[in-house]
Structures are given as structure tokens and as C-alpha cells.
Amino acid sequence: MKVLVVGSGGREHALVWKIAQSPMVKKVYCAPGNPGISEVAECVDIDAENIEGLYNFALKKKIDLTVVGPEDVLVAGIVDRFKDKHLNIFGPNKRASVIEGSKVYAKTIMKKYGIPTADFKVFDDLKYAKKHISTCDFPLVIKADGLAKGKGVFVCKTLEEADRHIDDIMKEKIFGYAGERIVIEEFLSGEEVSILAITDGKTIVPLSSVQDHKAVYEGDKGPNTGGMGAYSPVPFVTDDLQSSIEENILVPIVHALKKENRPYKGVIYAGLMITNAGPKVLEFNARFGDPETQVLLMRMKSDLVPLLLSTVKNNIEEVEIEWHDGVSVCVIMASKGYPDKYEKGLPVFGLEAVKSVTNVQVFHAGTAIKDGKVVTNGGRVLGVTILERDLEKAQKNVYEAIKKLSFDGAYYRKDIGTKAINKKNL
Ligand code: AMP
Ligand code: GLY
């Protein structure tokens, strides 16, 4: 088989790394890819957003399966375009990926089908939004409706903060069209967890639990990022909790989308808050998480390709997943200043040395080649990922491995997995 992976981040590096191990696969392409990916796949110089370019490439090279990483490409309709010519592609079509593309849609369908989520109201008028917040308790959460590169959610502690964010979104239009409507919702407290499942639209195959660390600083302080690190499995996600998430959230959302004539195929990602009243949905994503994918694929023992293909062929019930024993941890090395402004083009050192560390994979996220050398090229630069017997050992050894890597101003959180370790020791 020939497989094409679309995207250029750490998630795509992990997908390519895992797909290339499949005995079913002869050749992996990645568009546009990155220097780490180019060690395992042939990178093709086509932007992830260039749907026509990708479509022509897949036709010309007779690609047997295309796997899409980023959400904006799904929301723009890449799956619909590929299906025109019966090209196999993994991911939801345009109508189904609205579950991530519009927070208003996601909240509305959850309410209609009784899927647990924070109470909310939708506004398309700044005046009414402001009037509403003057009657609310704080903290509360303001979300831009459309895609905002993970930056469209604000947890507001005070009325002034909320007022300012409403102005930014609706008056200053910092997210453009994506901010024409906003969701104002109840603040939920608890532990966050991500549960992803693969589905062919009828049956779901849930993956193992993951905890991401979204805030930039240790102790979950500072602004949200795409994710600063993750580990899997999550000890507090017991079998009972996992089953309740499947029964009350994942199965109902897939069935709801089918009923709404938006049949969903691909990976559905539920971002959850485990509250005192049980798990509630913070968001749905229509794609693999980043860095969730890095830890999940490190732990996945079975071949990923039959699982991906089964969504296209509508026979997912025949596929079972086997996991390696142990725990995987991924720590993101980021550029100084991320998630705001940061410098690019800084040389990265230690990539060869770290290859000798057992059980470690370094997934490239924001890197490029300059004068034959790997340099930084994004906010999140590398995802250092490990598989070990237990969380303590995984955490200790991943931070040992990171010491071998460096670039000017490299920043990483030193507490990925600490919350779970502390809880265990209570
Ligand atoms: P989202 O993109 O909707 O998952 O939001 C990004 C992050 O904002 C989440 O991972 C949470 O940390 C936080 N968040 C979103 N909604 C809420 C909420 N209702 N209560 C508390 N935190 C939230
Ligand atoms: N790690 C969060 C996300 O992929 O949305």
C-alpha cells in the first residue's frame, strides 16, 4: 500500500512513524512533512491546505489511503473532494467535521441529545453578550464559534476580563469570521482528560485515556497552548469511568451526528472535564490530538493501518487494539515566547545523541532545514516521547533524555505527569 499523511507537526510525525511500521505499507508520503518525518517518509512540497494539489498528487501516485492531520483541512472539505474520485481517505467529511468547526453547533447538538456539557448561551450581538455577563457568576468561559488555532477559548475570572475578550472577538474581530458568534458557558472544575475513538459511523473503537497539559507554565498556569505534554494511560480513568464516557458521550455523539444526516467517520476526540457530577464535554475535535497522538501511538502494539482502513471499509467491528504494557509520556520542547511571539531558525542540537536512548522517540513538530542543519520553525519544536514500565520511571527518563537536546531559549514544562504521580501517592 501507498499511504499519504497530510500535515507537518508532531502528530503527523507520530502517524508516519507508526504507519511506516505496518507490514501492509510499502511507501509513506507526507505533505508537507518536516525534517523528522523525512527520515521515515518521502516529504512532498504541497501545503496541507492545498486540497487540489493533494488530490492531484493522490491520483497521480495512486495513493491507497490518505490520512489527514489538521482540522482546518477537514473542515474545508478535503474528504469530500477525495471521495469524488473514490480515493480512500481517513477523516470526517465537511458536514461531519462541523462538530469541531463550530462550537455553537457542537453545543447545540449536545443539548439536543442530552450529552453532558457545561450550561451555555450563544450570542451574535455584542450588546446582548455583555448584558448577559453582567448577570453571571465568575469564572465563566467565552469561546469563539469557529476555528481559531486553539486560541479561541478564554477562561475569565472577572467581569472586566470577560468584557475585554468579548470586545476582542466581536468588535476587534481578532478571529475574523470565526468570532461572529460566541458561546458563553459555565466554568467547570475537575480533572481534564482526552478520550479519542475511531469510528466508521456505526461502531466505535475507543482508544486509551490521555491527559494533555494545555497551559504553558507548570502548575497549569499561564495562557493555553496547543498542548505542552501528555501521558497515557491516565490512572484515575478507571474501567467504569471509561465505559461511562463511551456509553454517555462517544456512542451518543456518533449516533446523534448520523441522525442529523452528518454521518461521522474517522477519529472523534472528546476533550472532557471529570467533574463531581461526572464527565462533561469541553469540546469535540474531528481529528487526532497533538500531543495525544504521540503518546497513544507509542503505546499502541497493534498495526494502526487496519484500524484506519476499517473506517473507510465500514468494518471497524472486526478490529481490536492491543496496547503495550506501561506508560507513555511526551514532553514538548517549545520556543521561548510561545504561545505568543517567538524566534525561528535557531539551530537544534542533540538530535543524533538522543537516538541512542532506549524507548525514546523524538517527534518533530516545528523544525526546518537551514544550510543542511535542523533549526526551529514553530512554537512547539519537538515532542520527546517515551514508553516505560510506569509513570515515575517514564517521567524520570524522559527528562533525562531531554537534557541531550537543546536550542536557544528552549522551554519545557517540568511537571508532565506530576499531578497523576502525586494523586497516586496520596
Ligand atoms: P476547548 O478548546 O473548548 O477544549 O477549551 C480549551 C481549554 O479551555 C480546555 O482544555 C480547558 O482547559 C478550558 N475550558 C474550556 N471550557 C471550559 C469550561 N467550561 N470550564 C473550564 N475550563 C474550560
Ligand atoms: N492537544 C489538544 C488538541 O489537540 O486539541
Side-chain angles (χ1 to χ4, degrees):
M1 270 178 71
K2 286 187 258 180
V3 179
L4 167 66
V5 174
V6 177
S8 61
R11 164 184 53 204
E12 288 78 15
H13 190 178
L15 283 165
V16 162
W17 170 80
K18 183 69 182 161
I19 290 167
Q21 292 170 40
S22 170
M24 297 166 73
V25 173
K26 269 216 185 86
K27 173 96 189 168
V28 188
Y29 295 97
C30 187
N34 66 37
I37 292 175
S38 71
E39 292 181 7
V40 235
E42 185 176 329
C43 291
V44 216
D45 191 14
I46 306 172
D47 278 350
E49 294 79 28
N50 179 359
I51 293 179
E52 275 317 294
L54 294 166
Y55 168 80
N56 289 328
F57 178 82
L59 273 181
K60 190 170 123 207
K61 293 283 182 188
K62 299 195 168 56
I63 298 293
D64 299 291
L65 177 67
T66 298
V67 184
V68 185
E71 61 278 12
D72 43 359
V73 193
L74 293 164
V75 172
I78 188 170
V79 171
D80 310 64
R81 184 68 180 117
F82 273 52
K83 292 245 169 96
D84 280 354
K85 279 274 190 268
H86 306 287
L87 288 166
N88 288 338
I89 182 161
F90 176 85
N93 65 14
K94 189 173 178 149
R95 276 181 63 75
S97 51
V98 70
I99 196 69
E100 176 165 3
S102 166
K103 296 221 187 261
V104 171
Y105 183 81
K107 296 296 290 190
T108 311
I109 193 173
M110 282 191 266
K111 188 169 176 190
K112 181 168 173 189
Y113 289 87
I115 297 169
T117 188
D119 285 340
F120 70 101
K121 280 200 154 54
V122 175
F123 295 91
D124 60 7
D125 184 307
L126 177 139
K127 210 169 62 239
Y128 289 113
K130 289 200 169 182
K131 196 166 161 207
H132 173 68
I133 57 169
S134 71
T135 66
C136 287
D137 290 334
F138 284 81
L140 57 68
V141 185
I142 295 179
K143 301 183 173 185
D145 176 37
L147 294 181
K149 299 200 184 311
K151 293 185 178 160
V153 173
F154 301 96
V155 175
C156 308
K157 292 197 187 71
T158 62
L159 181 62
E160 292 67 41
E161 234 182 282
D163 200 76
R164 181 159 49 82
H165 289 306
I166 292 177
D167 276 340
D168 286 347
I169 303 173
M170 302 189 95
K171 204 155 117 193
E172 306 301 327
K173 301 192 189 303
I174 57 170
F175 303 123
Y177 177 72
E180 285 205 338
R181 290 188 295 175
I182 58 170
V183 172
I184 300 184
E185 73 177 33
E186 169 201 12
F187 174 82
L188 300 174
S189 46
E191 283 281 353
E192 272 190 70
V193 60
S194 313
I195 305 283
L196 285 73
I198 313 280
T199 179
D200 59 4
K202 296 185 308 248
T203 309
I204 67 155
V205 174
L207 306 184
S208 190
S209 53
V210 192
Q211 188 167 51
D212 186 14
H213 296 64
K214 292 230 169 84
V216 69
Y217 303 126
E218 277 141 41
D220 296 331
K221 302 268 176 358
N224 272 342
T225 67
M228 294 299 292
Y231 66 89
S232 170
V234 183
F236 67 81
V237 180
T238 57
D239 289 350
D240 280 353
L241 180 54
Q242 173 93 19
S243 306
S244 111
I245 292 166
E246 287 165 29
E247 274 164 38
N248 300 317
I249 292 169
L250 291 167
V251 171
I253 189 65
V254 170
H255 288 168
L257 284 162
K258 192 163 178 224
K259 272 208 169 139
E260 296 293 316
N261 199 19
R262 295 176 189 270
Y264 191 99
K265 282 169 189 256
V267 58
I268 179 108
Y269 162 143
L272 305 165
M273 189 70 89
I274 312 301
T275 71
N276 288 336
K280 294 192 179 184
V281 178
L282 297 174
E283 64 168 344
F284 282 115
N285 292 325
R287 52 164 174 89
F288 284 104
D290 187 345
E292 284 89 340
T293 305
Q294 289 85 317
V295 284
L296 284 170
L297 295 184
M298 270 304 258
R299 284 193 55 225
M300 191 179 281
K301 197 169 179 180
S302 9
D303 189 346
L304 176 66
V305 176
L307 188 61
L308 300 177
L309 266 181
S310 69
T311 70
V312 180
K313 302 200 182 301
N314 298 320
N315 61 355
I316 201 164
E317 68 283 355
E318 292 165 21
V319 184
E320 259 189 56
I321 306 180
E322 249 192 288
W323 299 97
H324 286 293
D325 290 333
V327 175
S328 177
V329 174
C330 172
V331 178
I332 300 293
M333 289 183 87
S335 299
K336 184 179 165 194
Y338 174 73
D340 294 322
K341 284 204 187 93
Y342 52 83
E343 216 180 309
K344 289 184 184 177
L346 304 166
V348 178
F349 301 102
L351 287 165
E352 278 308 311
V354 80
K355 282 186 182 155
S356 61
V357 186
T358 42
N359 307 333
V360 169
Q361 288 296 327
V362 177
F363 295 117
H364 289 222
T367 62
I369 297 282
K370 194 168 116 193
D371 302 330
K373 301 233 161 59
V374 176
V375 296
T376 63
N377 193 42
R380 295 191 290 178
V381 177
L382 301 170
V384 186
T385 313
I386 197 165
L387 178 68
E388 281 290 2
R389 186 186 61 220
D390 57 41
L391 186 54
E392 285 82 352
K393 193 160 183 221
Q395 194 196 48
K396 181 168 167 284
N397 290 353
V398 81
Y399 285 116
E400 279 301 314
I402 280 195
K403 287 190 194 147
K404 294 191 181 293
L405 293 158
S406 64
F407 50 88
D408 250 11
Y411 169 76
Y412 57 91
R413 274 181 64 161
K414 311 217 172 27
D415 65 345
I416 305 301
T418 298
K419 257 191 298 180
I421 292 172
N422 290 346
K423 258 197 175 174
K424 244 168 64 182
N425 297 334
L426 271 183

